[in-house]
Amino acid sequence: MIKSFFKAALLLVPGLALAATPAAETQLDRAVAVFVASNIKLAVDNALHNLVATGVEVDTALVKTLIFEELSRPYNAEEHNVANTIIESAVSARAVAESQQFLADAAAREGAKVLPDGLVIETLAPGEGSSPSAESTVLFRYTGSLPDGTVFDSIGPGEEPLKAVVADLTPGMTEGLQLMQPGGRYRLTLPSELGYGKEGVPGVIPPDCALQFDIELIEII
């Protein structure tokens, strides 16, 4: 009786059940394997595409090979966290470099004014009258873009302008609007710390990303 129990227990220990006969593959087993593997392959392709789109340069063919090697290993939370930190650092370094160049290009344009905190303002068409204060409510239209030219938000001609209290906006917008006059058009280039900083806006604005806003200040209410 004791020997029979010991033999049964052995079959439950992974790696020790050498005498166990593998189950015969069924059509359903194969279908599940194909389904899961296909989803993994699609996820790999999408993840690599999104990562490369951030500007991180990797050998995608080599990375795919390494990914499928890693799939054969048990999940390790510590390794996962270390890998995530390395990737975030690479993405951040790329964003910082692009943003610094973006700000330098803006500062070098004729007529650009660089403020002590790094904000760059350009007057595209002058306005008239007094500038708003931080407590003012203003109407304005704008186009916001990333260093690569991607427009992430805009209110264009013919659309209802945005109504906002100047102080309620990002620090760069709050500062920049107070240097504008109604009826004028301006361009602000914001260092990341005057925009959305290290957090960014997931899926819209990367972390540590400089921003550019073309603004038409319509009215101070």
Side-chain angles (χ1 to χ4, degrees):
M1 180 70 177
I2 295 175
K3 290 182 179 179
S4 297
F5 175 79
F6 182 72
K7 183 177 179 181
L10 264 182
L11 297 179
L12 299 177
V13 180
L16 295 182
L18 302 179
T21 301
E25 177 187 309
T26 68
Q27 187 178 35
L28 179 58
D29 292 332
R30 173 59 60 177
V32 170
V34 169
F35 179 80
V36 173
S38 297
N39 283 330
I40 290 173
K41 290 174 182 176
L42 287 172
V44 165
D45 287 342
N46 288 335
L48 280 175
H49 173 78
N50 292 336
L51 186 60
V52 170
T54 67
V56 175
E57 297 179 1
V58 294
D59 183 335
T60 54
L62 174 59
V63 170
K64 281 186 178 182
T65 299
L66 296 174
I67 287 171
F68 289 106
E69 285 181 7
E70 286 295 321
L71 286 173
S72 67
R73 302 174 60 226
Y75 172 74
N76 183 306
E78 184 177 351
E79 289 182 351
H80 174 91
N81 292 335
V82 170
N84 187 58
T85 298
I86 292 171
I87 292 170
E88 286 183 344
S89 295
V91 172
S92 177
R94 177 74 182 215
V96 168
E98 287 184 345
S99 292
Q100 289 175 342
Q101 186 60 54
F102 190 54
L103 287 163
D105 291 344
R109 289 194 287 266
E110 184 177 355
K113 180 179 180 181
V114 183
L115 303 181
D117 57 8
L119 178 68
V120 181
I121 181 168
E122 301 168 71
T123 300
L124 306 180
E128 295 181 349
S130 301
S131 298
S133 68
E135 291 73 33
S136 299
T137 298
V138 296
L139 294 177
F140 66 100
R141 294 189 178 91
Y142 65 91
T143 298
S145 56
L146 305 179
D148 65 2
T150 299
V151 174
F152 62 85
D153 193 13
S154 68
I155 296 177
E159 295 185 272
E160 190 72 22
L162 177 65
K163 178 181 178 181
V165 176
V166 173
D168 290 344
L169 303 169
T170 60
M173 289 283 279
T174 295
E175 182 180 8
L177 280 166
Q178 294 179 77
L179 302 174
M180 301 178 187
Q181 296 172 298
R185 292 188 299 108
Y186 304 84
R187 176 170 293 154
L188 295 179
T189 307
L190 285 60
S192 65
E193 58 268 24
L194 298 181
Y196 294 91
K198 292 188 176 298
E199 298 301 320
V201 178
V204 181
I205 299 172
D208 300 307
C209 187
L211 302 173
Q212 181 174 285
F213 289 93
D214 283 1
I215 298 172
E216 177 192 2
L217 179 56
I218 299 170
E219 183 182 355
I220 303 172
I221 301 175

